[in-house]
Amino acid sequence: MSGAPWPHGEETREALRANLARYRRQARGAEGLRPAAVAIVLAPSPKGDTGFLLTRRVARLSSHAGQYALPGGRIDPGEDALSAARRELAEELDIAAGPEMVLGALDDLPTRSGYLVTPFVVWLGGQARPRPSPAEIAALFHVPLGDLFAGPGRGGNRDEARGSEVEPGVSSLFIPTLGHDLFAPTAAILDHFREVALLGRPSPVVAFGEPRFARR
């Protein structure tokens, strides 16, 4: 089932919702970190299979410029995490995510760049058409869920992906759609999503090591 297509229909949606509902999410206090929220947006491919939306940020941004990322950003004063995730989806991809589209939440993840990230899983109907904001998004990718099973397994290292910006021991996910590795914190969130939502395992998020460029 891991490598097979995931049809973008009610059966898949409700199976993921049930897996997320069974999981006891681990929330954390901010403890000096800046709170942020991201969305794992599940959208249909032209063939009707389910994938997630991944962005590449424009190069001129003041932080995390040019990096691959899930839609999201800082939580503004007076906002809760879900409101922030929905606002960022509207700003970055012109997606109006109603409460009924939110399947659940995953563990909070502290990052080395100083954020505490709360991820939400959002189900996008076939009628919705994401429209990336050119001010923030350089490219938008639809990544099949099967790509999350293409690497060596949870916590595995791909040493061939090493470079001056990647220290030894930093874990990653190989994404065939991109043709290269995706690093934490985005990779850690997607690994956790795979374990909990897709496989139904009560596996807490693993705080993978992050490459130097992910801390800027």
Side-chain angles (χ1 to χ4, degrees), residues 89-155:
L89 273 179
E91 293 175 358
E92 293 185 12
L93 299 179
D94 197 25
I95 294 173
E100 74 283 356
M101 297 166 62
V102 181
L103 302 186
L106 293 165
D107 290 354
D108 290 341
L109 175 67
T111 75
R112 291 190 179 182
S113 57
Y115 289 93
L116 182 69
V117 182
T118 302
F120 293 91
V121 181
V122 176
W123 184 269
L124 196 62
Q127 74 284 355
R129 293 291 181 268
R131 290 181 290 187
S133 167
E136 298 188 59
I137 307 300
L140 178 65
F141 303 88
H142 182 282
V143 182
L145 293 182
D147 277 19
L148 297 178
F149 298 87
R154 185 166 227 216

Side-chain angles (χ1 to χ4, degrees), residues 148-216:
L148 297 178
F149 298 87
R154 185 166 227 216
N157 287 319
R158 290 177 51 85
D159 290 335
E160 65 270 30
R162 304 306 101 192
S164 61
E165 287 285 334
V166 183
E167 302 107 331
V170 172
S171 298
S172 61
L173 293 174
F174 178 69
I175 304 295
T177 297
L178 303 180
H180 55 74
D181 290 74
L182 187 67
F183 296 96
T186 300
I189 293 170
L190 290 171
D191 170 86
H192 183 43
F193 164 75
R194 178 189 64 198
E195 293 293 307
V196 172
L198 298 185
L199 298 177
R201 296 171 177 168
S203 303
V205 69
V206 174
F208 292 164
E210 299 171 21
R212 294 185 183 93
F213 60 74
R215 306 171 200 173
R216 296 196 287 264

Side-chain angles (χ1 to χ4, degrees), residues 1 12 18 47 59 65 76 80 118 120 135 139 188 205 212:
M1 187 174 185
T12 298
K47 295 181 179 180
D76 288 341
D80 58 28
T118 302
F120 293 91
V205 69
R212 294 185 183 93

